[in-house]
Amino acid sequence: MAISDFYSRNCHYQTKLVVHTRDSGGDPLLLLSQALVLLENFKLDAIIVAENSAGVKILAELGSRVKIPIISLFAAGLSLSSFEYPHLIQIGEDESSRAKAIAAIVEAFSWRSVILIYEDNDSARPILSSLTGFRLDQHVALLTSSTDEEIVEQLMKLMSLQMTVYVVHMSPILASRLFLNAKQLGMLTQGYAWITTDMITNFMNSMDPSVFESMQGVVGFKPHIPASKELRRFAIRWRSKNLNENKNLEEMEMNVYGIWSYDMVWAVATAAERVMTRHPHILHQETRLNMNFTTIRSSESGLVFMDEILQSRFKGISGGFQLTNGRLIPKEIEIVNVFKGDRIIGYWNPENGIASIMKEENHTETNSTSSSKLEGVIWPGGTMNIPKGWSLRGKRLRIGVPVTNQFRELISVVHDPQTNDIIVTGFCVDVFKEAVQSLDYEVHYDFIPFEDANGRMAGSYDDLILQVYHKNYDAVVGDITIISRRFAYVDFTLPFTDLGIGVVVPKIDNDIWVFLKPLCGDLWITVGAFFIFTGVVIWFIERPINEEFQGSPSEQIGMIFWYSFSTLVFSHKKPLSNLSKFVVIIWVFVVLIITSSYTATLASMLTVKQIQLSSRDNDAWVSSDISNFTFETRRRRANHSPEEYADALRRGSKNGGASSIIDEIPNLKVFLAKYPSDYTMIKSKAITGGFGFVFPKRSPLVQDISSAIMRLREEKRLEMMENKWFNSESSFTTLDPESNPNRLNIHSFGGLFLVTGISSISALGVCLFQKRQSIKIHLNSSLDSLKGYFNVKIIGRQKERS
């Protein structure tokens, strides 16, 4: 039809394509044989391969030898590099574009991982290495020769997994059998999601009705062919032609490969005419090549012909025709949903990502992967609810719980002898139940104690965790510490307790003389001496001019002590002399520094209670669960309980007990809730990750339960559960245990005492000097008065004598 239409429109052209057809039956060796026979018997200018076969690579190599274009019309064929095979022309998207489109859909619906089912051949296998941007949880390879029993066996294995999102990349024939068997197994029901590549979707309309019915709810990709009058007219002629020639083909719909083939033939015919008109001198040149067992003809015009095809630009029935790197690539991909037909729900292209069918709304938006841009998808089972991507499929989870009964507030397992029921309670259980109840789907579970025939714990905590790794349990709930080495076997949720470890020690009895301890004895004596000295200096300066410092000796001594000590609370009276004011200012500054330092040191001592942890570390009890604790010499205890802790601390390290307890903070909270008045806890480093729930590697429940734990924490429901079970709010200090404050000594304030001493002595010296000068002036005045008096007396007596 392409050749007929082209030359009926271009009847004046000097060239005309002559087609020699051969059927290789899909056999690569026969394909090569047929091509060699044609090359030997005819002067071929191009070879068109219209089938999906590994032989395309062989013909691409042959084309490089004889230098003629090799045109592959099947997009799902092996993707070959145009640099390695410069004479090869391909159509359709490559594996990289397919993978990006799949990743966009996976991201749009927030699926965490998918399972790839592909055909194990050269055409489909490359997609395995191209899928990026999401987690490929599993991949299954099927052979074209696989029986239905083998397909069912593989599907049964996939059903045992929790993942329910499948990407299918295989030939339509194998895909037909896959979907028919999946339908029978119930894998195309609510909760599942199936994504097909263009390798399948392009042939969907030509599939058997039973296959099409089994694919209801599938989402697929196929190249977008813009609607046009030319395409519509051609489709009508196509149906009419097939109906007239063969009654059995009346249902046959034209697919994208037929449309691309039509335009490709037009490009070849146009290029042939250009070679004739532009390069007539090389059109009839040819050489013969010896291919070992035969001699074939090679055209000198092959390179020119190839170049003319690559430069072809025209508007065909598939839209704008243009080859990029030797490939006809669709500019846009349709995202279709199979439901009583295949309806377009959106588009995808590498530049803008997912776009809605109302394209004019997406001109300003780039890299969109939001599912809101897609039309409503009808998923398998006829539902519009987006599949979560995984499902428990009604399975009741087997939840393992430790049977230690040491800290019953955290986890407790009790066997009811009357009903033979197992009752599991505790803070860890309540958190798990609340987290599960907050999910938007149901999770059924049973608690299974990890115990032996005697009702004791059947191993260590590591042994319990390995039960999840060996699939004996589906999860573990309890006081399980999050430690890095355990991640090699299982996954943990976010912690639902405080991180790290704490140290518990006995409280020190109150000391009635603790207020004296911030200052050393020499400092106390020095401070007292300077109080008296400063008071004496002020008294000496103020007494002559200030009535407050005058009176009887006892009153003056009392004023000396009262004035100096009143500076502690800054309630001293205002002095009159400037020298006294100078001394008081310096002394008040010194008093301020000393009182502030005293207050800070006393507060630190009262907070820490003089706990000398550095001398108790060697006698501490450490929980055996804390495997990465960095301190060296400690006693490790495999079995521990609040009662054992209390007894050890009461006896002390000298009597076979312990001076401190080091354990997980949740355990110590339970301990302090029982003994709040006798012991205290200091928070230490976050060496461990707290308690978390255990799930198998890559379990989708990990993220959902973690999100639920965060909601419980944000809503303060986790705090309420802690208060319910621990029944106490322990106070923590962030001080390092080894940073006990030192007592203040005279060397700490030597400079201050030197300054106030010099200032007081200087003021006293100035005062003495001033008094000396005042006395000297007073004496001189007195002598002058006496001289005048005696002179008057002498003059008076002389007058009497006269």
Side-chain angles (χ1 to χ4, degrees), residues 159-176:
M159 288 185 68
S160 64
L161 304 176
Q162 294 180 342
M163 299 299 105
T164 58
V165 180
Y166 305 104
V167 174
V168 184
H169 183 59
M170 58 183 59
S171 65
I173 297 176
L174 184 58
S176 300

Side-chain angles (χ1 to χ4, degrees), residues 104-174:
I105 285 292
V106 172
E107 182 180 352
F109 291 108
S110 301
W111 291 322
R112 299 163 192 162
S113 59
V114 302
I115 295 175
L116 173 67
I117 308 175
Y118 65 98
E119 187 170 357
D120 193 9
N121 59 23
D122 292 338
S123 298
R125 196 182 301 116
I127 197 174
L128 184 61
S129 59
S130 301
L131 291 176
T132 58
F134 58 90
R135 190 173 71 191
L136 189 61
D137 194 71
Q138 189 91 357
H139 59 88
V140 176
L142 297 177
L143 297 172
T144 307
S145 59
S146 297
T147 63
D148 286 346
E149 290 76 14
E150 291 172 338
I151 294 175
V152 169
E153 181 182 356
Q154 293 293 338
L155 290 176
M156 292 290 290
K157 291 180 181 179
L158 297 180
M159 288 185 68
S160 64
L161 304 176
Q162 294 180 342
M163 299 299 105
T164 58
V165 180
Y166 305 104
V167 174
V168 184
H169 183 59
M170 58 183 59
S171 65
I173 297 176
L174 184 58

